[in-house]
Amino acid sequence: MAGRSHNVAAQATTLGKRFARPLAGTAAAAGFGWSDDGSNYVVDTGAGLVFKVSKTNGDLTSLVYKGTEYQGYGGKNSHVESGLGTSTVTIAQSGSTILVSVAYGTLKHYYAARSGENNVYLWTDKADSSVTATRYIVRVKAGLFLNDEPDSYTYAPTVIESADVFEKSDGQTRAKHYSKLRVMDYSYIGWTTGSVGLWIVRSNHEKASGGPFYRSLLRHQSADGGGLYEILYYGENQTESERYGLQGPYVIALTDGGAPSPSLYPGTLTTSWADSLGISGYVAAGGRGRVAGVGITGRDTAYPYTVGLANSAAQYWGSARSSDGYFSIAGVLPGTYTLTVFKGELAVYTSSVTVSAGATTTLNTIAVPSSNDPGNATAIWRINNWDGTPGGFKNADLMTYAHPSDVRAASWTGNVVVGSGTETSAFPCYLWKDVNSGIVVYFKLTAAQAAAAHTLRIGVTTAYANGRPQVVVNDTWTSAVPSPPTQPSTRSLTVGSYRGNNHTFTYSVPASAWLTDTSAYNTLKIYVASGSGTTSYLSAGTSIDAIDLLA
């Protein structure tokens, strides 16, 4: 078995001539180094963390922190996807950094350790579709952390949907899909006992898909252990094609109970120490650019604004300053991007921007045209606000971390009266063909309003099985069935996600459809039309953003 004190010649054999010189003057924590136990490369950070990587397949087979083994549940290792299979695995040390490289076909995966740090830095370079690699899973032994997360399987013994959504005996639901968080809402996920914390700090997701508002599986717990995920590509309710290239670094961080250091967070982490390691697809800070906007006018200051950049190769985003709309997005790979300004989660402006390496692309003030924001239109009545989300509607908050059948959900049926003050909170966030299709909205019109034709608008944020709204006014006028917009083809409404493609349906309602009696309530019935889907909450459905009748 090789010892931890490897000479320069051994390092040069693995890394090449780049590291043939003696590494004089390198400070290292006591115990920092690596060894070979025959089956694994054993890496000691010199600060309390020792981890092993299989020489056969690149799995993480052990994760010991201060003498306690955290790796492993169900007899499984931590790994890319469900394990890569036989791979070429090498190790090398460059001063204060140890790098384990894993090659499996066109896929390259890396583990790095830094002297004196209780962190494992990971990169995954998926070059094409020849290898399935959509996630990295840290598998944690049972009993080390309290099993009380909202996606805990242990407390939910009854399967109610697709073998991955469960119901507890009290009627509450659980699933690994129910993260409650959008990508932009978190920097890390994990668990703590108060004295030990185990976390994954996410990457910047530049090669992921779905944008800043996307929700995906983050972690789960079960009777035999728990899993922490870095999702490289998640297919549920996905709006974009998979991107290829290097993702990372993402970090497995061990702490003495607290959160991981903010210096590890995406957008904060600097890895100049990795610039010369030869990581496939790696682009150093000097090969990246920045986009800065001096401001955004035409904003509704009641809402946060986000600026996104996206092309087929990468995605980025940043928050616009509430006072003036200033934004800055750094670390961007060179290229031409679609720039999108979002009010809440609703796109209200798009343009094109080109980014060059080592340069800042400065944009003059962006003026969002008033007509781009549907909330600026004058309406006779409006239910909810146009922000690209179902937030404010009945059950909307719950649906990001529970199944629609959850006992905590209010009834999905019930009619709505405009002017009651409860029209938004009474209107369900989701409509299904087999659950609450035909919900009725009651409203009154003045004589002048009833004498004219009006445009009715229904905004949606996603749909399942091509569900889309068809309307009937006063049981006398029925709209045509609209064509379905492009939406993800997978489950959405039952796996905690309303984030699809925002779309606005418009209906031209003739004056003859309205009641002339101004004291009487007009009725608007909203049905879900589709020839697809099955039954109940897997029947065709859609998520609602806002509904209004224009003046």
Side-chain angles (χ1 to χ4, degrees):
M1 180 173 74
R4 287 193 178 116
S5 180
H6 287 261
N7 60 32
V8 174
Q11 295 172 25
T13 298
T14 305
L15 282 178
K17 295 181 180 179
R18 179 170 62 249
F19 297 130
R21 294 189 312 234
L23 301 169
T26 299
F32 175 69
W34 64 272
S35 62
D36 181 341
D37 70 4
S39 299
N40 307 278
Y41 290 121
V42 183
V43 180
D44 189 335
T45 68
L49 174 63
V50 179
F51 64 92
K52 297 180 181 181
V53 178
S54 168
K55 294 167 58 180
T56 301
N57 56 24
D59 284 3
L60 186 70
T61 60
S62 176
L63 189 69
V64 174
Y65 180 60
K66 295 188 176 181
T68 299
E69 175 67 77
Y70 287 88
Q71 152 59 36
Y73 74 80
K76 298 179 181 179
N77 297 324
S78 299
H79 41 217
V80 175
E81 199 60 23
S82 296
L84 294 175
T86 302
S87 305
T88 300
V89 185
T90 58
I91 190 168
Q93 181 173 340
S94 171
S96 298
T97 302
I98 295 171
L99 182 71
V100 180
S101 303
V102 182
Y104 179 79
T106 61
L107 183 136
K108 307 294 189 296
H109 181 70
Y110 304 90
Y111 302 88
R114 296 278 288 162
S115 177
E117 297 185 14
N118 290 319
N119 305 316
V120 184
Y121 298 86
L122 302 94
W123 288 263
T124 304
D125 181 23
K126 182 178 179 181
D128 51 45
S129 61
S130 63
V131 179
T132 299
T134 61
R135 62 190 180 182
Y136 189 91
I137 309 174
V138 178
R139 301 187 186 272
V140 183
K141 289 175 64 176
L144 297 175
F145 298 98
L146 184 64
N147 194 2
D148 64 349
E149 299 299 333
D151 51 6
S152 171
Y153 288 2
T154 299
Y155 298 161
T158 304
V159 178
I160 60 172
E161 183 180 299
S162 298
D164 61 4
V165 182
F166 303 82
E167 185 179 71
K168 293 169 56 178
S169 59
D170 64 2
Q172 291 191 16
T173 54
R174 299 288 188 266
K176 60 186 179 182
H177 306 287
Y178 298 151
S179 69
K180 199 175 183 178
L181 299 173
R182 305 171 302 176
V183 175
M184 67 180 295
D185 294 333
Y186 74 97
S187 295
Y188 60 89
I189 47 95
W191 301 293
T192 180
T193 65
S195 59
V196 175
L198 175 57
W199 317 94
I200 278 191
V201 184
R202 72 166 174 85
S203 70
N204 68 352
H205 279 220
E206 70 180 2
K207 294 293 185 177
S209 299
F213 315 123
Y214 190 68
R215 285 179 166 86
S216 70
L217 183 157
L218 297 181
R219 63 185 172 189
H220 76 268
Q221 288 178 297
S222 59
D224 58 353
L228 299 178
Y229 293 75
E230 167 72 347
I231 297 296
L232 308 177
Y233 179 78
Y234 192 57
E236 295 284 4
N237 208 32
Q238 181 59 254
T239 58
E240 295 183 298
S241 299
E242 184 173 6
R243 293 180 171 94
Y244 299 115
L246 184 68
Q247 301 214 52
Y250 47 104
V251 186
I252 303 171
L254 279 297
T255 72
D256 290 335
S261 169
S263 65
L264 299 176
Y265 296 176
T268 302
L269 176 62
T270 57
T271 55
S272 57
W273 49 266
D275 291 356
S276 60
L277 295 181
I279 294 172
S280 174
Y282 183 92
V283 179
R288 298 169 177 271
R290 184 171 74 100
V291 176
V294 299
I296 303 173
T297 61
R299 293 175 298 121
D300 183 337
T301 56
Y303 296 89
Y305 280 69
T306 302
V307 179
L309 304 176
N311 60 21
S312 61
Q315 61 171 8
Y316 307 90
W317 57 82
S319 297
R321 193 161 61 193
S322 59
S323 60
D324 55 8
Y326 168 83
F327 63 91
S328 177
I329 305 173
V332 180
L333 292 172
T336 298
Y337 295 84
T338 297
L339 180 150
T340 305
V341 176
F342 297 93
K343 168 196 173 186
E345 297 183 16
L346 184 66
V348 293
Y349 176 89
T350 60
S351 65
S352 181
V353 61
T354 298
V355 180
S356 300
T360 296
T361 301
T362 302
L363 304 177
N364 294 326
T365 298
I366 294 174
V368 177
S370 178
S371 58
N372 284 16
D373 183 349
N376 290 330
T378 302
I380 296 172
W381 53 260
R382 176 170 292 142
I383 304 176
N384 215 358
N385 300 309
W386 292 89
D387 67 352
T389 82
F393 281 133
K394 182 166 61 174
N395 293 328
D397 289 343
L398 180 65
M399 287 302 96
T400 60
Y401 61 95
H403 190 268
S405 65
D406 195 288
V407 68
R408 292 167 292 179
S411 172
W412 288 103
T413 58
N415 300 324
V416 176
V417 180
V418 173
S420 64
T422 61
E423 54 265 57
T424 297
S425 60
F427 196 98
C429 62
Y430 298 162
L431 300 177
W432 290 272
K433 187 174 183 180
D434 199 37
V435 176
N436 55 355
S437 182
I439 192 168
V440 183
V441 177
Y442 293 90
F443 60 96
K444 292 181 178 180
L445 296 175
T446 66
Q449 291 166 345
H454 297 285
T455 296
L456 174 75
R457 302 187 301 183
I458 300 178
V460 302
T461 70
T462 195
Y464 177 68
N466 285 330
R468 64 269 197 198
Q470 181 182 27
V471 301
V472 176
V473 176
N474 291 320
D475 293 323
T476 59
W477 182 85
T478 301
S479 73
V481 176
S483 298
T486 300
Q487 296 288 7
S489 59
T490 62
R491 288 179 298 165
S492 52
L493 309 181
T494 60
V495 292
S497 178
Y498 60 77
R499 176 75 278 128
N501 294 311
N502 285 92
H503 180 81
T504 301
F505 294 94
T506 60
Y507 310 84
S508 298
V509 185
S512 59
W514 312 123
L515 299 179
T516 57
D517 182 355
T518 58
S519 65
Y521 279 101
N522 289 267
T523 60
L524 169 68
K525 295 181 180 178
I526 304 175
Y527 295 90
V528 177
S530 177
S532 304
T534 57
T535 60
S536 188
Y537 299 107
L538 289 178
S539 63
T542 190
S543 169
I544 308 298
D545 178 10
I547 306 169
D548 57 22
L549 185 67
L550 299 186

